[in-house]
Amino acid sequence: MGMGPVQAGAGDEDGFDAAPMSEINVTPMVDVMLVLLIIFMVAAPLMTVGVPVQLPKTAAAKSSESKKPVVVSIDKDGQAFLAKEPLPADTALARLKALAAEDPGQTVLVRGDKDVPYGRVMEVMGLVGQAGFAKVSLIANAPSGGAATPAPAAPAPASPQ
């Protein structure tokens, strides 16, 4: 048989009818719809911000104002500083404990020179933990030379016993 038009109702050599298929194959369409359903199911919770509500007004004082964190710096010689004041090794723990007694939930930011040995930074962080501070963060410069940014607060390292 040649490449002529297919005629409905005319049988070929095998006895099968060679009419064009008039049914739609829905399997690819179902696959696409299931993929879209999964995408929307994953994306929908991310788009909801919350329930819009009108909050009442109150004359109560604002809750705790964010306090300035305690900043402990270590210069390139390994000398520790509390803010800009030198923090001698013999009085460091006592001064940090006094600050922790005022507010133990306060965040301590530790700044260390890039040339300071890692062990010295860990010694200072250990003192901060022994003093009773629970939140200790390390400060570093952004790679583009931007301002110093604290890392997320982490629990203070356990004191050696």
Side-chain angles (χ1 to χ4, degrees):
M1 184 172 218
M3 296 297 288
V6 179
Q7 298 176 3
D12 60 2
E13 300 130 16
D14 296 338
F16 292 110
D17 213 14
M21 193 167 135
S22 62
E23 298 173 4
I24 297 174
N25 188 1
V26 295
T27 305
M29 183 178 70
V30 170
D31 290 343
V32 169
M33 294 306 290
L34 287 174
V35 168
L36 288 174
L37 176 67
I38 291 170
I39 290 172
F40 284 116
M41 287 174 59
V42 170
L46 301 175
M47 290 187 277
T48 59
V49 176
V51 177
V53 295
Q54 295 294 326
L55 296 175
K57 297 185 189 242
T58 181
K62 287 185 179 180
S63 60
S64 63
E65 298 280 328
S66 60
K67 298 177 183 176
K68 288 185 83 174
V70 175
V71 179
V72 177
S73 302
I74 307 166
D75 68 359
K76 63 181 179 178
D77 299 325
Q79 174 63 39
F81 293 86
L82 182 61
K84 293 183 180 181
E85 301 174 20
L87 189 62
D90 55 345
T91 62
L93 188 58
R95 287 185 65 189
L96 290 171
K97 280 187 177 183
L99 288 172
E102 293 174 14
D103 186 9
Q106 191 170 15
T107 302
V108 177
L109 303 178
V110 178
R111 300 174 60 223
D113 192 274
K114 67 179 182 176
D115 296 328
V116 173
Y118 180 70
R120 177 65 181 141
V121 175
M122 290 308 296
E123 287 174 13
V124 172
M125 287 183 68
L127 284 175
V128 170
Q130 286 177 354
F133 288 104
K135 297 178 186 174
V136 180
S137 294
L138 294 173
I139 294 181
N141 280 337
S144 62
T149 55
S159 61
Q161 296 178 12

